[in-house]
Amino acid sequence: MRTCRRALTVLALTLPLAAMGAVPVVDDNSGSAGSSYPPSGYGTAGAYAGGGATAQPSAQGQLFMQLQQMQDEISRLRGIVEVQQNDIQQMKQEALDRYKDLDSRIGAGGAPAAPAANNSASDGGVNTGGAPASGAAAAQSPQTSTEPGDPAKEKLYYDAAFDLIKAKDFDKASQAFSAFLRKYPNSQYAGNAQYWLGEVNLAKGDLQGAGQAFAKVSQLYPKHAKVPDSLYKLADVERRLGHTDKVKGILQQVVAQYPGTSAAQLAQRDLQRL
């Protein structure tokens, strides 16, 4: 009996020790893949610095790069749009200024500024259309009208053409002034009609037609009061056409030959800006 009790006591003491010996011991320094530390993926930056295999950028990194590229492209497109908007605004402002200028001239220029000068007279140096100002008076003179002069009838015809300008019907106004000049080239209204033909063509955007009409004022009516204005407007047309080499010469001519006029003052201002 005592022998059995002693055997049971020894067994009870040895069982815990056996259980403890059955627990596996993990070696932290082993290279086992299942218990590696630090976790996989840690220290990627160190791989870059150490010259190891290059890691591919993460999805978040790729998304950030794409977003940055899109922002750069948007900034570039915004710059282009701003430039275009400025160009459009400048064109609108020039058109508005042109119409305002036309309106102001309409309000002050309905009647002829002065009777047309003797057609054979020379201006002694005004030369804007290429033909000499002296020694070619016959080539510059208006054609002789086939219809007898009738001041009252001429005025009705001229006023009708001018009313078309007031109505902003520039196409018909251009046709009306051209017809007037063909029918009454020696009329006292002819110089004004020639000038307004230039203004109408300019309002239409016909720069070539406007330049030709303005040039003919000084060529055909060299003593007319509209000559300084027509030369100044001719310089503006040449500027719009890109003929900058002609602009300075015409402006200098206005300043030198027509001092004291509003056209000369404007020409002097433009010369200072060149």
Side-chain angles (χ1 to χ4, degrees):
M1 191 64 163
R2 289 180 178 178
T3 303
C4 286
R5 289 180 178 177
R6 189 175 294 175
L8 288 174
T9 302
V10 172
L11 181 62
L13 293 173
T14 57
L15 282 176
L17 294 175
M20 292 177 62
V23 177
V25 178
V26 178
D27 185 3
D28 288 343
N29 297 323
S30 67
S32 174
S35 60
S36 63
Y37 186 86
S40 60
Y42 181 84
T44 304
Y48 284 107
T54 303
Q56 296 296 325
S58 64
Q60 292 86 347
Q62 292 179 348
L63 182 61
F64 176 79
M65 292 173 61
Q66 292 175 358
L67 181 60
Q68 187 66 38
Q69 291 174 354
M70 291 175 63
Q71 289 177 340
D72 293 342
E73 182 66 14
I74 290 173
S75 298
R76 186 182 69 84
L77 292 175
R78 282 179 177 173
I80 294 175
V81 170
E82 288 178 359
V83 171
Q84 292 178 341
Q85 288 177 339
N86 289 336
D87 292 342
I88 293 173
Q89 185 62 34
Q90 183 177 356
M91 292 172 62
K92 287 182 178 180
Q93 187 61 45
E94 287 183 356
L96 180 61
D97 292 343
R98 187 163 65 247
Y99 282 116
K100 285 182 177 179
D101 179 66
L102 181 59
D103 284 336
S104 65
R105 292 175 183 274
I106 288 173
N118 187 345
N119 295 330
S120 62
S122 171
D123 198 30
V126 175
N127 183 12
T128 60
S134 60
Q140 296 182 7
S141 299
Q143 296 179 356
T144 303
S145 175
T146 57
E147 185 172 324
D150 185 347
K153 190 174 182 180
E154 294 169 11
K155 188 176 187 307
L156 289 174
Y157 205 140
Y158 175 86
D159 287 344
F162 198 82
D163 287 340
L164 291 171
I165 300 181
K166 294 178 179 179
K168 302 294 190 297
D169 193 343
F170 300 131
D171 288 329
K172 290 184 179 179
S174 177
Q175 297 173 6
F177 280 119
S178 296
F180 177 89
L181 290 167
R182 288 193 300 268
K183 195 170 186 178
Y184 303 112
N186 299 314
S187 169
Q188 64 175 330
Y189 302 95
N192 268 46
Q194 187 67 58
Y195 171 82
W196 285 109
L197 178 60
E199 288 279 17
V200 168
N201 287 337
L202 185 59
K204 288 170 54 182
D206 181 6
L207 297 180
Q208 294 287 349
Q212 293 173 3
F214 285 132
K216 284 184 178 180
V217 177
S218 60
Q219 293 172 359
L220 303 179
Y221 312 99
K223 298 293 181 65
H224 199 279
K226 282 291 186 183
V227 170
D229 288 337
S230 66
L231 290 174
Y232 178 76
K233 299 296 285 190
L234 177 60
D236 181 54
V237 170
E238 296 291 0
R239 179 185 63 81
R240 294 171 187 269
L241 289 172
H243 303 158
T244 54
D245 55 327
K246 297 181 180 180
V247 174
K248 186 175 181 179
I250 297 173
L251 294 177
Q252 289 174 337
Q253 179 180 346
V254 175
V255 172
Q257 297 184 2
Y258 304 98
T261 63
S262 59
Q265 294 175 359
L266 293 172
Q268 185 64 52
R269 180 203 62 187
D270 292 352
L271 283 172
Q272 293 175 353
R273 294 177 178 177
L274 291 178

